[in-house]
Amino acid sequence: MGSLSGQTAIIGIGATEFSKASGRSELQLACEAVVAAIADAGLRPGDVDGMVTFTAESSAEIHVARNTGIGDLSFFSRVPHGGGAACGTVAHAAAAIHAGLAEVVVCWRAFNERSGERYGLGQASRPMDTNADRAAYSWMTPFGLSTPAQWVAMFARRYMHEYGATSEDFGRVAVLDRARAATNPKAWFHGRPITLEEHQASRWIAEPLHLLDCCQETDGGQALVVVSAARAKDLPHVPAYVVGAAQASGRDQHMMTSYYRPTISGIPEMGLVGDQLWAQSGLRPADMQAAVLYDHFTPFVLPQLEELGFCGRGEAASFVADGHLELDGSLPLNTHGGQLGEAYLHGMNGIAEGVRLVRGASVNQPGDVGNVVVTAGTGVPTSALVLGAR
Amino acid sequence: MTTYDDRLAAFSGRVLVERRPAPDPVNVPMIRQWVEAMGDANPRYLGEQPVAPASMMQAWTMRGYAPTDASAGAFEELVALLEEGGYTSVVATDSELDFHREVVPGDHLSVEEVVESISAEKRTGLGAGRFVSTLKTYRDSADEVVATQRWRTLRFRPAEPAPEAVLRPRPAINLDNEFWFTAAREERLVVQRCADCKALRHPPGPCCPDCTSFAWDTVEASGRGTLYSYVVAHHPRHPAFDYPLLIAVVELDEGTRLITNLTGATADELTVGMALEVEWLRADADLTLPVFRPVRPREH
C-alpha cells in the first residue's frame, strides 16, 4: 500500500466562536463546526462518508450525521485519552482514506468545557467504579492528587530538579502564547498580552504551576475535513497535506501520571510520535517552519521540543529564551495563541492553525510555511502530525 | 472618625439599667415557693426570723412577664450596637455575687446595672463574640448596698454550623488492587512482586510486564525512601484536605515509587532527594493510607 505520507490532506476547517458559556448544546456546537468545515472544504454534507472523534466526545457520530445531513457512513472511529486524541483523529482519517475505507472524513471535537463539565476541577468527585481506568485513580485521588494541573506539576518539579529549569522558563511559553493571541481576533485573550512579571505574580494553582501556566477552559467546537490528495486538488483551498501522522503510547504509560518510569523528565510517547513523523515524511526537525505544540500547561512544552528533536535534552529552556519560538525565530510557535491564548479545544484548534499556516492564512503568518508540526495532548497517549504544502 | 470599637468603648462606665425598684418587698410567701422549688430545707429561711436565700437576690428585682417599654434605654442601645456588629446571640458566661448583708422580709430592694467593660472580639466555640461585663448593685430602701453582682455575657456571632466531615475520595477497590489497601488498613506497606521473576511493581496489576507471569505475591517495604518529586496543591480545594496540600512521589528503598502525602514538613523544607519514612494516616474508619515524613536525626 505504501507510505501514508502525502496521500491525504486537510481541505476544510470550521469552528464555532470560542467562549466561556456557549448557551448551546454540545451537539449543536459539534454540528455548527462540522457544517462550517464541510462548507470551507467546498463540499456538501452528503459527500462525507467517514467520521472520527474523541472517546471523550459527548455527541456520537450518528447524532452529528443525522442532524447535519451527512448520510451513509462507511468508516467511523474514536480516539481515546483526552487531548492526546487530537492528531489521532486525522491519523485515523488518513489511514482510512488511504486504505479505501472512506473518501471524505470529518474529524471534530466540541464541548461546553467551561460552562459544563470542567476538567480542571479534577477527578475527586467523579463516580468510582472498578474498571481499570477508574481504578487507576485509586493511587491518586485518596491523596488529593486529582487535577490535570497537579498531575503536570509533579513532572514539572522533577524537570526543574534535573535540568535547573525555573518557573520563568515555563512562564516564557505563556507570555509567547498570549502575545500571539493578542493579535488573533478569534482568541479568547485577543488584545490581552501578559508579561513575565504578571506570570510570576499570578497565584499558585499547584506549585510549581502558577495560574498563568494553566490554559483556560473553553466552550466551542472545531472540525476538520480530510480527503485524498487527488481529491484535494479539485477543491478550493490550498491543501494541507498530511505528510506525517502518528499515535503513540509509551512503555509503562499512565493517564497523566506516568511517574513510575526510570525517568520522568521526558515524554517518551511524544518521542515515539516524533520518530514516526520523521520516518514517514523523510523530514527532519529543521525542515519545520512552524510548530503548534500542545500547551494545556506550559511545563510540557519544553520536553516536547526535546522529544521532537528541536533541541537536546534539558536545553529547551534556553531554546525558548533564545527566541527560537518567536514569529521571526527558527520555529514560530502557536501562532494562533495556543490553548493558553486562543481556546482549549483539546488540541483540535491547533490542527486548524496548522492548516492555516500551510495556506498562508494565519493571522500571525510568519512567512511561507512548507511544513508545520502539530502535537496533541501531553502526559497521555498522544499523537502528532506534520502538515505540509507538499 | 469614630470606629465601631470606639462606640462600644463609650459604653464603659455607663448606666445600662437605671436604678429599678423591686416590684415587691422581700416576703415570706416568695421565699417559701423558692425553697420548695429548690428543695432547700435549711431551717433559717422559714424559721422564727426568716432570712431570704442569697440565691434569690436577682429574683427580687426581676422584671415581670408583662411587656415593658423597650425603647431608647441604654440597654436597648447597646443591644442594637452589638447586633450592628453581627453579635446577635447571647449567652451568660459567669456571675460573681458579693453579699454585704443578709436580706430579710421587709427589705425593699432596687438594682442598678453599670457597664464595666466590653472586650475585643474573641474566638469562642460558639462563634466570634465580645464579653460584656457589667456590675449590678443591689441596695435597700436606705441606699445601703446589700450585694453586688459582676455579670458577664458573651454576645456572639453564631458560628456557621460545622460542615459535615467530608471523607477523602474513595479508592476504587477491585480484584487487582484490593490486597494493597487491605494491607494498608493493617499499617503494612506492601509492594507487589512477581512470583516468578521476582520483579517488584507498583501500581500493581494482574500480569508481570517483565515475564508475563500472572503469579504474584507481596513483600513488605521498609517504609524508607526518598522524595522523587512533589506538588504543593492550592486550588481547587477538596473539603477532605487541608491546603496547601503536599502531594509527593516517593521512591522506596525497594525501588518502586508511589504517590503519597507528606507530613511533618512545610513546603519550603522540601528538597527532591530528601530521606523520608512512612507514617500511617487513619483517614477514616475505612481508609488507612501511608504518608511520609522527613527522617529526623535519631534522638539519643
Side-chain angles (χ1 to χ4, degrees), chain A residues 2-364:
Chain A
S3 167
L4 191 67
S5 181
Q7 300 296 315
T8 60
I10 302 175
I11 200 66
I13 55 176
T16 65
E17 84 287 3
F18 305 131
S19 76
K20 301 300 177 193
S22 73
R24 313 194 294 285
S25 70
E26 294 186 332
L27 177 58
Q28 179 168 341
L29 296 176
C31 292
E32 288 179 22
V34 165
V35 165
I38 295 169
D40 184 61
L43 295 166
R44 287 167 308 168
D47 296 324
V48 174
D49 58 0
M51 298 182 77
V52 187
T53 187
F54 294 46
T55 55
E57 173 72 19
S58 69
S59 307
E61 61 291 317
I62 53 173
H63 302 300
V64 177
R66 185 169 60 80
N67 277 279
T68 57
I70 293 174
D72 299 341
L73 295 176
S74 57
F75 175 77
F76 36 93
S77 74
R78 286 180 167 227
V79 186
H81 304 304
C87 298
T89 64
V90 175
H92 283 212
I97 293 166
H98 189 45
L101 299 178
E103 292 186 4
V104 176
V105 181
V106 173
C107 306
W108 86 96
R109 178 78 173 111
F111 52 23
N112 286 321
E113 199 279 327
R114 181 59 180 78
S115 65
E117 187 178 310
R118 298 176 62 184
Y119 300 156
L121 294 180
Q123 296 287 326
S125 307
R126 304 266 173 102
M128 268 296 177
D129 64 47
T130 54
N131 72 46
D133 279 347
R134 289 308 301 172
Y137 290 105
S138 299
W139 309 109
M140 310 169 218
T141 54
F143 299 98
L145 186 73
S146 75
T147 70
Q150 294 164 354
W151 298 328
V152 171
M154 196 73 79
F155 287 104
R157 174 75 66 188
R158 187 71 197 184
Y159 185 91
M160 293 164 83
H161 171 75
E162 290 193 8
Y163 296 133
T166 64
S167 171
E168 285 89 345
D169 293 325
F170 301 147
R172 273 182 263 278
V173 174
V175 171
L176 185 147
D177 270 350
R178 290 289 294 269
R180 298 296 90 81
T183 51
N184 173 8
K186 294 270 188 349
W188 177 259
F189 288 111
H190 177 231
R192 284 183 281 171
I194 57 167
T195 64
L196 194 55
E197 290 68 33
E198 285 165 331
H199 168 272
Q200 287 294 293
S202 68
R203 66 191 168 100
W204 291 119
I205 297 299
E207 292 177 57
L209 269 61
H210 289 275
L211 175 69
L212 291 177
D213 288 306
C214 308
C215 89
Q216 60 190 315
E217 295 184 296
T218 299
D219 284 9
Q222 175 77 58
L224 316 159
V225 178
V226 186
V227 299
S228 69
R231 185 148 187 188
K233 290 183 172 59
D234 299 331
L235 293 170
H237 281 298
V238 172
Y241 291 99
V242 180
V243 176
Q247 290 182 271
S249 174
R251 183 178 167 82
D252 202 8
Q253 179 78 56
H254 294 249
M255 270 295 283
M256 299 297 292
T257 52
S258 303
Y259 302 150
Y260 313 96
R261 293 165 164 167
T263 171
I264 67 167
S265 51
I267 314 173
E269 51 278 12
M270 192 59 77
L272 291 169
V273 161
D275 293 346
Q276 295 177 75
L277 293 181
W278 309 138
Q280 285 175 16
S281 65
L283 299 172
R284 301 297 309 149
D287 298 320
M288 301 297 111
Q289 282 80 47
V292 179
L293 300 185
Y294 202 88
D295 58 343
H296 54 352
F297 300 97
T298 58
F300 266 154
V301 172
L302 275 58
Q304 282 186 82
L305 291 164
E306 298 164 10
E307 294 287 357
L308 294 171
F310 291 103
C311 60
R313 293 216 180 268
E315 293 174 2
S318 346
F319 187 80
V320 176
D322 289 347
H324 285 282
L325 305 182
E326 300 295 336
L327 284 177
D328 58 358
S330 64
L331 188 73
L333 177 79
N334 295 355
T335 42
H336 57 321
Q339 301 194 99
L340 286 154
E342 186 186 61
Y344 174 64
L345 248 291
H346 250 167
M348 291 297 269
N349 53 320
I351 303 175
E353 179 65 5
V355 172
R356 284 188 292 267
L357 284 164
V358 171
R359 289 180 181 179
S362 167
V363 292
N364 294 308

Side-chain angles (χ1 to χ4, degrees), chain B residues 5 15 17 23 33 38 212 262 271:
Chain B
D5 277 12
V15 174
V17 178
Q33 288 175 42
M38 296 295 168
T212 67
L262 297 177
T271 49

Side-chain angles (χ1 to χ4, degrees), chain B residues 170-204:
Chain B
R170 304 287 89 184
I173 305 292
N174 65 12
L175 290 173
D176 296 327
N177 65 23
E178 185 177 20
F179 73 94
W180 193 90
F181 288 97
T182 302
R185 268 205 296 279
E186 297 160 1
E187 303 194 351
R188 291 186 301 116
L189 180 59
V190 297
V191 184
Q192 190 179 40
R193 177 175 62 180
C194 174
D196 287 319
C197 78
K198 308 299 181 192
L200 299 178
R201 59 184 193 262
H202 185 87

Side-chain angles (χ1 to χ4, degrees), chain B residues 141-181:
Chain B
S141 49
D143 283 353
E144 289 301 315
V145 174
V146 298
T148 57
Q149 180 183 15
R150 182 157 290 109
W151 176 244
R152 192 168 292 127
T153 55
L154 172 67
R155 297 275 173 175
F156 64 98
R157 200 181 292 134
E160 297 293 321
E164 268 186 66
V166 176
L167 302 182
R168 286 187 174 218
R170 304 287 89 184
I173 305 292
N174 65 12
L175 290 173
D176 296 327
N177 65 23
E178 185 177 20
F179 73 94
W180 193 90
F181 288 97

